[in-house]
Amino acid sequence: MSKLYENRELSWLRFNERVLEESEDERTPLCERLSFLSIFQSNLDEFFMVRVGSIHDQMLLEENHTENKTHMTDSEQLEAIRERVKVLSKRKDASFDKLMGELEKHEITLINFAKLDAKEGEYLKQYFEREIMPLLSPNIVSKKQPFPFIKNNDICAMALLESGKSKNSKTGKSSKTTKTSIGIVPCNTGMFKRLIEIPGRKGHYMLAEELILHFLPIVFHGYNILGKSLIRVTRNADIDADKVYDEELNYRDHMAEVIKQRRRLQPVRIEYTRDIDKKTMATVVSYLHIDMEMIFKVSSPLDLSFLFEIQDNLRHNEELFYNKRIPQRSPDFDEKLPLLPQIIEKDKLLHYPYESIRPFLNMLSEAANDPDVVSIKMTLYRLAKHSKVVEALVEAAENGKQVDVLVELKARFDEENNIEWSRQLEQAGCHVIYGLDGLKVHSKLCLITMKKEGGVKYVTQIGTGNYNEKTARLYTDLCLMTANEKIGAEAARVFQALSLGEVMESTECLLVAPKCLQNKVIDKIEREIQIARDGGDGYVGIKINSLTDKLIIDKLIEASKAGVKIDMVIRGISCLHPGVKGETDNIRIISIVGRYLEHSRIYIFGKGEREEMYIASADFMTRNTVRRVEVAAPIYDEELKTRLRNFFNTQLKDNVKARYSDCNGDYKYVEHTEPAINAQEVFFEDAYRAVSNPLPEES
């Protein structure tokens, strides 16, 4: 493995380890640590569904395929993933046990049958027979009954069954058989609650799947239970919608069929909770067509989503949660006055979740009713379930505006949601486009066109995050609103290209993937290299979620060797090792994992008068730079540039939630020196102070 590069999948596992660390960090309030533990698990589930699934698919296409940085083969990657996941799973189990121990101090306990008295056991037996058993669909695998289909990430109770005594029809004598079979009972029916409170023991709970597992002898009466366990199957979810395109269907119906196909894709992982006969497990593995190496034993519950219900039961204990923080109004807007004229007068920037998304939503609503507005064009990737963005677009269409909306139906795991929104938009009279062949449209771009006496006027919004009111309270993102004529005209060209099923071949001010972002970023780094070689102060500052694009990585290595100073804030994957002597000495990489999901992207090239600054929807991943439509927008306003520069520098100073990457790709907490700086808390303090509001704990 090259000393300069890190494998993408292993780097992602390092990121999820940092999420797990938050569940172990005693500085984090108890109930928030429960969230991080559940997020760690759901992250890992998606990793297997998408990334491990992708590697499995690649192995079917090319026997000796290697990835392009560390040159690991697919089988080598899977082996390394398995070993790392085993280590992380043990840490997850240990974190769960510790958290449950701490919850007991607050009168919350997850109980098992060994801790129940006879009366309680009898109550649960009656509860099971009355409330749960009638809703179960048990299966016994045999020659007549095939192995049942197990849904993705559903929990099942599994048992090795031995048939009981039977009578010989000729002699009438009883005889024991040694015939064994496998019993399967799906536990995720959705028809009964999962967290069951023990009567008379407030705060003492049992999980429904544990109840089902315990009472399997009732379910499979007439059989001896030789062994039993809970299992969970994770299926491949990596399906290429374009490769399986069905020309007989319209694109929206095709995507609905793709979703159905995904539900039945090949298993890539099995988890189980109890030791069970190896032969039985081998039989299950053969039925599911999965390798024995992809089986993992865990001691904690197979699905930790119930922890959010426990959180809800503890809401009255404020000390168990983060201090309350509410997105503040932006001091740059006077919300009592029309917003579009304010944007025309001066560029505006919103910083979520520290500032509210409300000015952007109000701007859309205002545009829907402004007689000067003739059209609204927008790209939509992920939306809230009750989207005010869609409401504004529908209102605009109903008011006679031309509304063009590109809805990306290939937004993984949001396809169904987007299909429904696309129907509603069409019904309201919006012109809906469904993306491009072979490319996802991931840009966050909105263009409002007004017809004034002096001609056409544009107001353009470019963001780093989705148009989603819910995630705007949880993710850190940036939203630029500008009336700059060059940006508006180029945004209009982007939408024209999208409507024709084309991509931008050239740009002047915007960076637009797939053809005008990667190359322009490399050119800007090259400029800094030349400045450093000429004895100048070359500088690159980058804030992104992931770094995997090898062309950009290699250019950053070249820049480091030339003396360019490079600061990078990368939340997740980084396939580059900083601090390697003689190679990446001038590169510093930190990752911030904290209360809010770091999601904003900022590119900075140069310092002083030649400094160029962009906000973008694109990470430096090949999928973003050459396989998606992405947009990065320049920041021209000097006040906004100063604000972004201060924001970036504050993150570089974080010594509470920041970890730095060493030359081996390992992450360690930044040494804590006084004063402690938690960048996310600093930004909220600034947001409250800007509108003269005291923080909740200060009021």
Side-chain angles (χ1 to χ4, degrees):
M1 183 183 294
S2 170
K3 64 181 179 180
L4 293 178
Y5 303 106
E6 174 85 351
N7 175 267
R8 167 185 170 148
E9 319 308 342
L10 299 183
S11 180
W12 186 91
L13 288 172
R14 289 184 193 271
F15 156 66
N16 209 30
E17 182 177 10
R18 299 194 287 280
V19 175
L20 182 59
E21 282 178 349
E22 290 298 305
S23 79
E24 300 167 331
D25 190 344
E26 294 184 359
R27 297 174 298 177
T28 302
L30 178 58
C31 282
E32 308 294 352
R33 291 164 64 190
L34 297 179
S35 291
F36 281 110
L37 191 64
S38 185
I39 292 167
F40 167 83
Q41 185 197 53
S42 60
N43 281 351
L44 195 60
D45 290 345
E46 186 170 326
F47 175 75
F48 271 90
M49 291 159 61
V50 178
R51 296 307 308 164
V52 175
S54 176
I55 294 173
H56 274 284
D57 291 345
Q58 182 61 49
M59 291 175 74
L60 296 174
L61 295 172
E62 189 177 341
E63 187 175 346
N64 295 311
H65 173 262
T66 60
E67 55 94 14
N68 69 344
K69 288 174 276 291
T70 61
H71 304 295
M72 294 176 72
T73 65
D74 293 327
S75 58
E76 287 172 337
Q77 290 185 80
L78 287 178
E79 182 179 357
I81 288 168
R82 285 194 299 266
E83 293 308 309
R84 191 68 196 136
V85 167
K86 287 177 183 177
V87 173
L88 292 176
S89 291
K90 288 181 180 177
R91 276 183 64 181
K92 178 202 72 174
D93 292 343
S95 179
F96 176 81
D97 290 342
K98 185 172 183 181
L99 289 172
M100 295 312 296
E102 293 186 33
L103 281 174
E104 289 184 8
K105 301 173 188 175
H106 300 277
E107 301 179 340
I108 297 288
T109 301
L110 204 61
I111 204 165
N112 58 40
F113 276 88
K115 297 179 180 178
L116 297 178
D117 59 31
K119 185 177 179 181
E120 290 166 335
E122 181 59 28
Y123 166 82
L124 286 177
K125 179 174 178 289
Q126 293 177 10
Y127 179 89
F128 172 77
E129 292 177 332
R130 182 181 69 251
E131 302 289 341
I132 295 179
M133 188 172 169
L135 303 174
L136 299 179
S137 299
N139 301 268
I140 296 178
V141 181
S142 66
K143 291 181 179 179
K144 293 183 179 180
Q145 179 63 44
F147 196 87
F149 178 77
I150 299 177
K151 294 179 183 178
N152 183 42
N153 287 331
D154 268 9
I155 299 171
C156 290
M158 181 181 74
L160 177 60
L161 307 174
E162 180 185 58
S163 57
K165 293 181 179 181
S166 61
K167 286 190 177 183
N168 186 300
S169 59
K170 292 182 179 179
T171 65
K173 294 181 179 180
S174 295
S175 63
K176 262 194 174 181
T177 67
T178 57
K179 183 179 178 182
T180 59
S181 53
I182 296 173
I184 301 284
V185 183
C187 300
N188 296 68
T189 68
M191 292 183 282
F192 46 78
K193 59 184 180 181
R194 187 171 175 219
L195 206 56
I196 301 166
E197 190 167 22
I198 310 300
R201 289 211 206 185
K202 184 174 174 57
H204 286 63
Y205 300 95
M206 181 174 289
L207 294 173
E209 63 263 27
E210 291 289 344
L211 198 64
I212 294 168
L213 187 70
H214 182 80
F215 289 117
L216 282 183
I218 298 177
V219 177
F220 296 111
H221 59 88
Y223 290 86
N224 295 323
I225 308 291
L226 300 181
K228 60 184 179 179
S229 178
L230 295 171
I231 66 169
R232 189 170 75 132
V233 174
T234 303
R235 294 182 176 274
N236 184 354
D238 186 53
I239 185 168
D240 190 326
D242 290 315
K243 285 184 179 179
V244 296
Y245 182 61
D246 186 344
E247 294 182 356
E248 297 299 316
L249 300 172
N250 69 44
Y251 196 69
R252 190 164 59 198
D253 290 341
H254 162 69
M255 286 306 302
E257 287 299 314
V258 167
I259 296 166
K260 292 178 183 177
Q261 287 184 41
R262 176 191 289 154
R263 291 169 182 155
R264 299 192 66 87
L265 290 181
Q266 183 71 19
V268 293
R269 176 182 62 166
I270 298 177
E271 297 168 285
Y272 68 104
T273 61
R274 313 287 203 283
D275 286 323
I276 198 165
D277 179 73
K278 289 184 179 179
K279 185 178 178 182
T280 303
M281 190 58 77
T283 302
V284 172
V285 164
S286 68
Y287 278 124
L288 293 171
H289 306 290
I290 188 171
D291 294 333
M292 284 292 290
E293 291 81 5
M294 300 308 288
I295 300 175
F296 301 88
K297 184 182 179 184
V298 298
S299 62
S300 55
L302 294 172
D303 177 359
L304 297 177
S305 59
F306 71 91
L307 293 177
F308 293 112
E309 187 175 342
I310 287 178
Q311 279 184 327
D312 290 340
N313 293 338
L314 290 169
R315 289 289 170 191
H316 59 282
N317 289 350
E318 293 183 4
E319 73 277 5
L320 301 182
F321 296 86
Y322 288 125
N323 291 327
K324 189 174 183 179
R325 296 285 183 265
I326 298 173
Q328 297 296 290
R329 65 178 178 83
S330 169
D332 291 347
F333 283 101
D334 184 340
E335 294 187 23
K336 296 177 182 178
L337 299 175
L339 301 181
L340 289 170
Q342 296 180 60
I343 298 168
I344 292 171
E345 182 181 347
K346 187 179 185 301
D347 290 358
K348 307 294 184 184
L349 186 74
L350 297 177
H351 191 187
Y352 312 142
Y354 315 106
E355 293 175 325
S356 171
I357 193 176
R358 190 170 63 241
F360 169 71
L361 297 175
N362 290 346
M363 178 198 73
L364 268 187
S365 181
E366 184 179 307
N369 292 281
D370 190 323
D372 289 339
V373 171
V374 294
S375 72
I376 302 174
K377 303 178 191 291
M378 205 165 183
T379 59
L380 301 180
Y381 194 75
R382 299 189 196 276
L383 292 162
K385 285 188 176 180
H386 305 287
S387 176
K388 293 186 180 300
V389 170
V390 171
E391 287 180 11
L393 294 175
V394 166
E395 184 179 18
E398 291 174 346
N399 287 341
K401 316 291 185 190
Q402 175 65 36
V403 180
D404 297 334
V405 189
L406 189 146
V407 181
E408 183 50 81
L409 299 187
K410 292 176 288 188
R412 187 179 278 124
F413 306 127
D414 266 357
E415 298 98 338
E416 289 179 277
N417 197 31
N418 287 1
I419 286 171
E420 182 55 36
W421 283 128
S422 71
R423 288 196 180 103
Q424 291 191 31
L425 288 164
E426 278 189 347
Q427 288 168 3
C430 301
H431 174 223
V432 178
I433 311 167
Y434 297 121
L436 307 180
D437 291 344
L439 296 172
K440 282 186 180 180
V441 179
H442 188 251
S443 57
K444 325 300 179 188
L445 186 63
C446 175
L447 180 67
I448 297 169
T449 304
M450 294 176 285
K451 198 169 182 181
K452 300 253 185 195
E453 287 184 6
V456 171
K457 191 78 177 174
Y458 295 117
V459 169
T460 313
Q461 181 274 336
I462 303 101
T464 66
N466 297 303
Y467 298 115
N468 187 317
E469 303 92 294
K470 181 179 179 181
T471 56
R473 299 176 70 92
L474 303 171
Y475 295 5
T476 74
D477 272 307
L478 296 160
C479 168
L480 172 69
M481 291 174 278
T482 178
N484 181 278
E485 291 184 10
K486 288 184 179 179
I487 290 177
E490 203 148 88
R493 286 180 55 214
V494 172
F495 279 108
Q496 184 178 22
L498 291 174
S499 67
L500 297 174
E502 299 172 353
V503 298
M504 294 286 283
E505 297 288 342
S506 64
T507 60
E508 292 183 20
C509 54
L510 299 178
L511 310 182
V512 184
K515 293 189 176 182
C516 306
L517 191 147
Q518 183 196 62
N519 56 337
K520 288 179 177 285
V521 166
I522 288 173
D523 288 346
K524 293 177 189 301
I525 299 172
E526 180 63 42
R527 184 194 69 183
E528 297 307 304
I529 291 173
Q530 195 56 52
I531 286 170
R533 286 175 177 161
D534 292 342
D537 190 13
Y539 180 76
V540 174
I542 302 293
K543 182 183 185 298
I544 49 179
N545 299 325
S546 296
L547 172 66
T548 69
D549 186 314
K550 191 170 186 297
L551 288 179
I552 293 178
I553 289 173
D554 287 345
K555 185 57 68 172
L556 290 169
I557 294 170
E558 182 185 343
S560 173
K561 291 166 76 172
V564 177
K565 183 182 177 184
I566 302 167
D567 290 319
M568 305 186 79
V569 181
I570 306 174
R571 184 194 81 226
I573 303 167
S574 173
C575 293
L576 172 63
H577 289 171
V580 177
K581 191 172 182 180
E583 301 279 354
T584 55
D585 313 62
N586 289 307
I587 300 177
R588 179 190 178 203
I589 296 176
I590 68 167
S591 170
I592 295 176
V593 178
R595 176 173 182 173
Y596 304 103
L597 182 83
E598 290 294 335
H599 195 254
S600 54
R601 290 93 163 183
I602 303 172
Y603 313 156
I604 304 171
F605 306 99
K607 287 187 173 181
E609 292 183 357
R610 59 182 179 79
E611 177 187 62
E612 291 183 278
M613 190 176 293
Y614 295 80
I615 67 167
S617 60
D619 293 312
F620 287 170
M621 304 178 77
T622 308
R623 74 178 189 188
N624 297 97
T625 56
V626 299
R627 293 203 293 271
R628 290 183 175 182
V629 175
E630 306 272 11
V631 174
I635 304 297
Y636 292 137
D637 184 275
E638 289 301 323
E639 287 184 19
L640 298 188
K641 288 176 77 171
T642 298
R643 185 178 167 195
L644 275 180
R645 196 182 306 114
N646 291 339
F647 160 63
F648 185 70
N649 289 335
T650 300
Q651 290 223 307
L652 292 176
K653 295 175 185 176
D654 191 305
N655 54 20
V656 177
K657 291 302 179 184
R659 288 88 159 166
Y660 70 91
S661 173
D662 66 15
C663 60
N664 298 311
D666 293 323
Y667 284 79
K668 301 169 184 175
Y669 278 104
V670 173
E671 290 186 12
H672 193 289
T673 55
E674 295 298 333
I677 298 175
N678 181 334
Q680 293 182 347
E681 283 298 313
V682 169
F683 298 143
F684 247 124
E685 289 167 8
D686 290 345
Y688 272 78
R689 192 180 301 116
V691 291
S692 302
N693 278 347
L695 287 169
E697 61 267 28
E698 296 173 350
S699 59

